[in-house]
Amino acid sequence: MSVREPRHSVTRLKSCALAALVLAALSGAPAIAADEPDLIFRRSTVFKLLSPNDKLATYAVDDPEVDGVACHFTVPERGGFKGWLGLAEEVSDISLACRQIGPIHFKAKLDQAEDMFSKRRSLFFKKMQIVRGCDAKRNVLVYMVYSDKLIEGSPKNSTSSVPIMPWGAAAPVEQCGEFIK
């Protein structure tokens, strides 16, 4: 083995890493209006002696375009040294529950199956998305969470429905079908 091979390999590795960073920055999802989710709690699921444990974490996020709706989701978080460094591939198992928490008010016209929230689940290639839709016939908001990868997606998903109900005395009930483009 010559001295040039390792140097060439390091240069190639640096070039690949730089290309991956540029690709991730250029192909990133558009900014989502939802703020960072609020951590509600974490629970250890797998004990690791010398590194962080694997955990389940439950978060809350308010719908940025629809007042009166909040979603809670639970995601697994990898422990170990790779998880601690942010290099572990996170699994796609995500559960979702959305509820009406006040009077529902639409801030603007919405697209059907529009991203409500998005968060990266790995350094480059995987992200979790919560999308929102409207079942106009039943006047129900429908939320779906799934994860996708750059190369292949994941069929693992979860769905939650929020029927639009009156809230408080004589509160008008908005029809979601009137707010879908």
Side-chain angles (χ1 to χ4, degrees):
M1 191 188 308
S2 73
V3 175
R4 298 184 103 182
E5 285 180 340
R7 190 175 298 167
H8 178 71
S9 297
V10 169
T11 303
R12 183 180 298 169
L13 182 62
K14 286 181 182 178
S15 297
C16 289
L18 180 59
L21 284 172
V22 169
L23 177 65
L26 293 176
S27 68
I32 302 301
D35 293 330
E36 282 296 307
D38 299 321
L39 175 66
I40 306 301
F41 63 88
R42 281 191 176 99
R43 184 71 183 211
S44 291
T45 58
V46 176
F47 175 74
K48 308 253 185 195
L49 183 62
L50 299 175
S51 62
N53 294 342
D54 288 353
K55 296 176 180 74
L56 289 174
T58 299
Y59 294 90
V61 64
D62 295 317
D63 189 322
E65 298 297 325
V66 182
D67 287 337
V69 176
C71 294
H72 293 84
F73 59 92
T74 299
V75 293
E77 294 180 345
R78 297 277 180 152
F81 291 111
K82 282 186 177 180
W84 182 61
L85 294 172
L87 302 174
E89 175 77 16
E90 296 290 352
V91 296
S92 298
D93 301 324
I94 307 164
S95 65
L96 176 71
C98 299
R99 300 291 184 267
Q100 182 175 352
I101 58 168
I104 290 183
H105 172 70
F106 294 88
K107 296 178 181 178
K109 292 275 188 180
L110 308 170
D111 290 326
Q112 189 73 290
E114 181 176 58
D115 279 0
M116 187 273 281
F117 177 77
S118 180
K119 184 168 182 69
R120 294 225 174 266
R121 296 280 295 146
S122 73
L123 189 58
F124 299 114
F125 303 113
K126 187 185 277 189
K127 67 180 174 179
M128 175 198 94
Q129 298 177 84
I130 300 175
V131 296
R132 169 200 330 102
C134 167
D135 177 350
K137 179 179 176 182
R138 294 165 187 84
N139 200 29
V140 172
L141 289 167
V142 180
Y143 294 83
M144 177 182 63
V145 64
Y146 69 98
S147 65
D148 64 1
K149 285 184 173 182
L150 186 62
I151 306 300
E152 63 182 63
S154 169
K156 296 180 181 182
N157 60 76
S158 182
T159 303
S160 185
S161 300
V162 179
I164 301 174
M165 306 295 287
W167 195 274
V173 175
E174 293 190 357
Q175 302 294 310
C176 67
E178 295 174 9
F179 292 91
I180 297 297
K181 292 181 192 173

